[in-house]
Amino acid sequence: MTDLPRSQHIVASGIVAAVGISVAYISFTQEPAAAFLFPRLISSVFVVLALWTFGKALLGRTKVGNGLDTRAMLNILPGLIVALVFVYWAAKGLGFYTASTLAFFVLLSLYDPAPHSELRSWVKRLVITAAYLAVMYGLFAGLLNVFTPREILF
C-alpha cells in the first residue's frame, strides 16, 4: 500500500477541525453555563488539537500511514454502529448511564478475544462493565457535576 495523498489528510483533518469548532460553538452558547463547563473544557482542547493537525496537513508535515483497508474497516464497523446507536438514540432514550453501560458491555463482548462459550469470560465482562459504570458515575456525577441525559432508568 502507498501513503494516502496529501489532499486526503487535508480534507479529513479539515472535517475534524470543523466538527470540533461546531461542538465548541454549541458548548459555549448553551445555558446554563455551569452545565456546560466540562464540554467547554473538552471541546476547547479538541479544537486546539484539531486545528494543529489541520495546520500540519496543510504544511505537508503529517506522518500518518496508509489509511484503513477493507479488513480494518470491517473490524471497526460493529463498534461504529454501536457508537451511532448510543449517540443518536440510546443516550437520550435510556439515560446516559444505562446506555453507556449497555454500549460498553456490547463493545466489550464484540472485541474481547475471550471465548463466548465460557461462563468465566462472561462474568469477567460483567465485572469490568460494573467497574466502568462505577468510574463513569464517579467522574460525571460526583467529581465533575456534569448534567447527563436522563430518561428511563437514570
Side-chain angles (χ1 to χ4, degrees):
M1 246 189 256
T2 60
D3 284 343
L4 292 173
R6 183 173 172 216
S7 61
Q8 285 186 351
H9 295 295
I10 294 171
V11 169
S13 62
I15 290 170
V16 170
V19 168
I21 291 169
S22 65
V23 168
Y25 174 77
I26 290 169
S27 68
F28 277 96
T29 57
Q30 298 298 310
E31 294 294 330
F36 290 91
L37 179 61
F38 182 69
R40 288 175 181 174
L41 174 68
I42 296 299
S43 65
S44 298
V45 171
F46 182 72
V47 166
V48 169
L49 294 174
L51 288 174
W52 179 29
T53 304
F54 182 59
K56 284 178 64 174
L58 285 174
L59 296 173
R61 296 181 186 253
T62 53
K63 294 182 179 164
V64 227
N66 301 327
L68 298 174
D69 60 3
T70 305
R71 182 73 184 140
M73 285 302 295
L74 289 175
N75 288 341
I76 293 171
L77 186 61
L80 181 61
I81 291 169
V82 169
L84 290 173
V85 168
F86 172 77
V87 167
Y88 288 107
W89 177 78
K92 183 65 176 163
L94 298 176
F96 174 77
Y97 298 110
T98 304
S100 62
T101 301
L102 287 172
F104 184 83
F105 183 74
V106 169
L107 289 172
L108 184 60
S109 299
L110 284 171
Y111 292 111
D112 183 12
H116 287 84
S117 59
E118 292 182 10
L119 179 62
R120 183 173 183 241
S121 64
W122 286 105
V123 170
K124 180 184 82 168
R125 289 182 188 109
L126 287 172
V127 168
I128 292 170
T129 302
Y132 165 81
L133 174 61
V135 169
M136 290 296 289
Y137 185 79
L139 281 174
F140 287 109
L143 186 64
L144 298 171
N145 292 324
V146 173
F147 296 106
T148 57
R150 297 177 191 269
E151 285 299 320
I152 296 174
L153 297 177
F154 67 106

